[in-house]
Amino acid sequence: MTETRLRFPPSPTGYLHIGGARTALFNWLYAKKTGGKLILRIEDTDTERSTQESIQGILDGLEWLGIDWDEGPYFQTEFSADHLAAANRMLTEGHAYKCFCSKEDLDARKEAAMAAKQVVGYDGTCRHLSPQQVADNEAAGMPFVIRFKVPERSGMFGYDDKVLGRIEQNYKEIEDFVIVRSNSKPLYLLCNVVDDIRDRITHILRGQDHMTNTLRQVLLYEALNAALPVFAHMPLTLDLKKAKISKRSHGEIVAVQFYKEHGFIPWALSNFLVLLGWSSGTDKEFFSREELIEAFTLERINKSNSIFNYRKGDEKFFTDPKAIAINEHYLRTMDINEIGDMVQKVLEKENLWDAAYAGEKKQWYLQTLDLIRDRFHTLNDFATLGRAYFADDFAVEEKPLAKNLLKFPELQQWLPELAGRYQTLAQFTSEETERVAKELAEEKGVKPGIIVNGMRTVVTGQLAGPSMYDILMTLGRDKVVQRLRDVDKFFQ
């Protein structure tokens, strides 16, 4: 069998966004599924907008997501000679011609066609120039583009799409399109085909916004006497207003880097992106890498567009709630050692990391993460909502401060009293600390919850969390006693 070869060809004119990441992911999955190869090709022919920073951002984004490639990265500009050679070959073989029509001429003809309510498109003025006319125009220094000569055939042509089925168009509906600009720079349509032929690409998985290109490229494959690859056009990713997700329109919310910075687990984002355009045919939502590779097929790619339900300004759901839910699932179920490695990077960034967490306090570190992760949404929450476990300078949320502490001014005396009792306990255990807290509440004639909730506020700064007595055991006697005694600062 022919080796399956796919490619991901990003344009380095900005960061890697989630639409591009999804395309890369689908190609990667199919390459893995079929035992094939994924080629990374940077399409950097837009020299004015392509930057080294964008190239590095794309590479970093793919690596963070765990999408590896087997060949490349190749750079399209390195193969300009191949592109021009293909154009010249088509000129020689009669599949293309030099067009000397100026922009002014083309604009005038377009206006005339529109006024006459005729089909607007190139009218083939230069298609039948004689060799002598072409030579005379070149001798006169007239600039020209190279146009592909669409075959003068009747009927339909097309290709079989693995997602959408048979796609066809009438030959007469395709105008002779430009493949090389007047500055001798080949266009994307040609470069893309030439590169795919050279790289022996067997399958092309890309967005449905490329479908108008595909029909023209089918003609180029034929002219270059090359076999068509298998095409599979994926649905677009739209926002709530049904507009296509893009860097320009939606900003950083669609950047892979944004999710990295906001504490997403890489595979959680990948799992979410796969479901934006593919279905296993079951209710299953969470897949390991191995499970997804096994389940992935081109036939299960959705035909209809998917909706990216992002929400700006919401502290909890700063992006699509389903993406958050998937991230929460992995955060709460992954092996705690893997979570520990990822949280380490977050704590290091916030200057909360202690080298002892990788040494003599490693067991405490992992047990602490396991205790607190059930209420967290992202990795960053360990450094914000969970800051009290790693530092004394943690923030106290307004709601518990007002509801559970300031509402009961007596706690300004009761909590230090509780601290004294904890200090003298023979055994600082969860059972003993709970017994003492209940005794204090009974003595003061209040419900135990008033004591416990006030204690939670000054010890963790949070409204809710794990069992209060598990928290006390995790933080340790000295830290708990000190924080209970420092309650005065909240009433100033």
Side-chain angles (χ1 to χ4, degrees), residues 252-253 353 386:
E252 65 176 6
I253 191 73
W353 177 253

Side-chain angles (χ1 to χ4, degrees), residues 424-471:
T424 58
L425 271 176
Q427 292 183 317
F428 190 74
T429 64
S430 58
E431 293 80 7
E432 282 295 283
T433 51
E434 182 177 7
R435 178 186 63 78
V436 170
K438 287 181 176 179
E439 282 182 358
L440 180 62
E442 185 176 353
E443 292 174 15
K444 304 304 180 184
V446 297
K447 294 180 179 179
I450 292 177
I451 300 293
V452 173
N453 290 335
M455 180 164 49
R456 183 185 296 277
T457 301
V458 300
V459 170
T460 71
Q462 300 296 306
L463 179 65
S467 162
M468 190 66 240
Y469 304 103
D470 287 340
I471 293 174

Side-chain angles (χ1 to χ4, degrees), residues 346-364:
V346 174
L347 297 182
E348 287 175 341
K349 183 179 178 180
E350 298 299 325
N351 296 316
L352 296 174
W353 177 253
D354 185 332
Y357 298 160
E360 64 269 23
K361 295 184 69 175
K362 183 173 183 179
Q363 184 177 1
W364 173 89

Side-chain angles (χ1 to χ4, degrees), residues 16-26 29 61-62 64-65 67 234-237 245 253-256 259 264-279 285 292 296 301-302 306-308 319-320 322-323 326 330:
L16 178 66
H17 67 92
I18 59 172
R22 189 191 67 168
T23 298
L25 185 61
F26 278 32
L29 284 169
L62 292 174
W64 180 73
L65 288 169
I67 299 175
M234 303 179 296
L236 302 181
T237 303
I245 292 293
I253 191 73
V254 299
V256 169
Y259 292 86
F264 258 67
I265 294 170
W267 183 248
L269 182 60
S270 294
N271 194 152
F272 167 70
L273 291 178
V274 168
L275 298 180
L276 276 181
W278 176 86
S279 170
E285 287 190 322
L292 196 51
F296 188 79
I301 295 175
N302 299 338
S306 54
I307 301 297
F308 176 57
T319 184
D320 191 307
K322 188 170 185 179
I326 290 176
Y330 284 101

